Each structure stands twice: as structure tokens, then as C-alpha cells.
Amino acid sequence: ILAVSSTSCIRSKILSTYDMIMIFLSLSRCFLQSWMTLDLFLSLFCEPSYYEENLFIIFKTVFMFLNNSSLWFAAWLSVFYCTKVASFTQSFFIWLKQRTSSLMPWMLITSSLFSFATSIPFAWDVYNVHHNFTAPLTMTNSSGRRVTMKASLVLIILLYHAGVALPLIVFAVSSILLIRSLWIHTKQMQNNATGFRDPSLEAHIGAIKSIFSFLILYVAYFISLVLILSNIFLPLSTGQAICIAVMTACPTGHSMVLIWSNPKFRELPARILHHANCCVR
């Protein structure tokens, strides 16, 4: 996705709104996946230095920034689809439809700054929370330390919800509106169908399936991350492994659906496979 979007911008010498969103989204996904892989590797094989040094604070803070940014960019992609495809007559929707291209750069920058602002407090409290969970409690200060642990944990959970609740709401609302608009249009096309296969009708049905899959993947990622952040699973437990697997698979699945649903993105993998087959022969 990043290669195709960047090549398209270089060739046309114009950065379109769609390519801009895809570049931001694909970059954030690449960094997020790489960061999660490195974080998991260090936590498994370098556990003493990972928790005793400042690595734990750095990794969790950067992870929250990349995670929130990726969620926001996916939400803006859904808004872009909704404003370009859906057909509503409300004045606000018409106003947004006319100004999406000019507002989108500011939306991307503002959401990046918001993600940075909501991730910085994790650098203050995330290490204290982990220390309060792992350090032995004495009889004299156990109650006070538990209060501190609970307060810090509640603060981090509230900050997490502030960072992901807004993009989740934006993504869900725009996706539901788009699915509703496409569904109504599809029903109208089915009523007017002549019995032959209509490419436009099939395209609408495919778009509904893609948007619905985006929504499922987004919600699954959100639930898994909430469970991980809530610390309800023991380290290296089956539940934690499942949540991490879901968090890793959902961005990949979202990217795969984007490639599958866009002919421009499908062209490059097809070329690579064709070239590889020619080389093997």
C-alpha cells in the first residue's frame, strides 16, 4: 500500500487526499507492527533489563502513540469513504463532503498531535504501575501502595479510553452510515435489476462486505487492547497470547482487505508474483 501510494504521488506530482491517508495509515501500521514485534522479543528474551531500565517506559509510551495514530488514520479513511460514496441530503454532510479534501491534512496532523498528547502521560505512570504490581508489599505500606497502584491504573485506563474512544466512535459512525447508504442503494438496484449480472450491484455488495469487515476488525482490536491494558491475564498466559495475536492480526487483516478491494493495490502483488514465476521458470 505504501509503495503504490507513494509511486502514484511521484508519478502524478500531486498528493491526493486518498493517497495522503493511505501513506499515513500504512506508515503507522508498519511502525506499529515492527514496534510490537521488538517489544515482544525484548520482553521474552531480555526481561530483566527490559523492566529495570527505561526501556519499559519508552516502549509502552511509543506503542500508545503509534496505536492511537493508527486508529485515527483508519477512522479518517472511513470518513473519507463515507463522504465520497454515501449520499445523504443533510446540510452538515454536504458541507463535509465539499470540504473533506481541504480538511483532511489538518485532521491527520491534529489526530497525530492528539495521539502524542494522550500517550505522554504513560511515561509518567506506566513504570510506577508495573513496579507496584511486581514489587513485594510490606505490612506497613501495603495499603498505601495498593491505593497508589489502583489510582495509577485507573488514570492509565482513562487516558487509554480517551485516546481510542474518539477514533472508535468516528470509525463506527462513518462505517455504519456508509453501510446504510450502500444497502439502500443496493436494494434500489436489485429492484430495478433486469436479471443479468450487474457489475455496479456486485461492486456495492463487495463494498458493504469490506466496510463491515473493517468494522469487525477494528472492534476486535479495541477489545483485545482493552483486555491487555487491564492486566487481567497473567504474563505469558493463553489469554494474553490470544489478545496479542488478535492485535497483530487485525491491522494485517485490514491491510489485506484494502489490497483485495482496490485494483490499484492488487496490481503490484500480481506483478511481483508474475515476475517471481518467470524467474523460477
Side-chain angles (χ1 to χ4, degrees), residues 18 44 60 68 74 76 111 150 153 218 233 240 260:
Y18 181 75
L44 291 176
K60 297 309 176 185
N68 293 349
W76 294 136
S111 59
K150 292 180 180 179
L153 182 59
Y218 201 104
F233 298 117
Q240 186 188 54
W260 171 78

Side-chain angles (χ1 to χ4, degrees), residues 49-97:
S49 59
Y50 177 76
Y51 288 112
E52 292 176 2
E53 305 295 335
N54 292 329
L55 286 176
F56 184 75
I57 303 175
I58 296 172
F59 269 88
K60 297 309 176 185
T61 304
V62 174
F63 168 77
M64 290 308 302
F65 168 70
L66 294 174
N67 171 73
N68 293 349
S69 298
S70 178
L71 294 177
W72 270 114
F73 299 153
W76 294 136
L77 178 63
S78 180
V79 171
F80 178 80
Y81 283 151
C82 183
T83 55
K84 293 300 182 182
V85 178
S87 56
F88 296 103
T89 58
Q90 285 78 6
S91 57
F92 174 76
F93 185 82
I94 295 175
W95 177 87
L96 185 61
K97 191 181 186 71

Side-chain angles (χ1 to χ4, degrees), residues 159-215:
L159 287 171
Y160 166 76
H161 285 292
V164 301
L166 288 178
L168 175 65
I169 293 172
V170 172
F171 186 93
V173 170
S174 58
S175 297
I176 292 172
L177 289 175
L178 180 55
I179 291 174
R180 180 177 178 271
S181 177
L182 288 172
W183 182 259
I184 293 174
H185 196 198
T186 300
K187 287 296 182 182
Q188 293 175 351
M189 295 175 67
Q190 286 178 341
N191 294 332
N192 299 328
T194 59
F196 299 98
R197 294 183 60 183
D198 188 350
S200 299
L201 179 60
E202 294 181 359
H204 277 68
I205 295 176
I208 292 175
K209 293 179 180 178
S210 298
I211 299 301
F212 189 71
S213 63
F214 291 162
L215 187 59

Side-chain angles (χ1 to χ4, degrees), residues 7 19 31 84 126 128 151 188 222 232 270 281:
T7 304
D19 287 334
F31 286 126
K84 293 300 182 182
V126 70
N128 292 330
Q188 293 175 351
F222 173 81
I232 63 175
R281 292 175 184 175

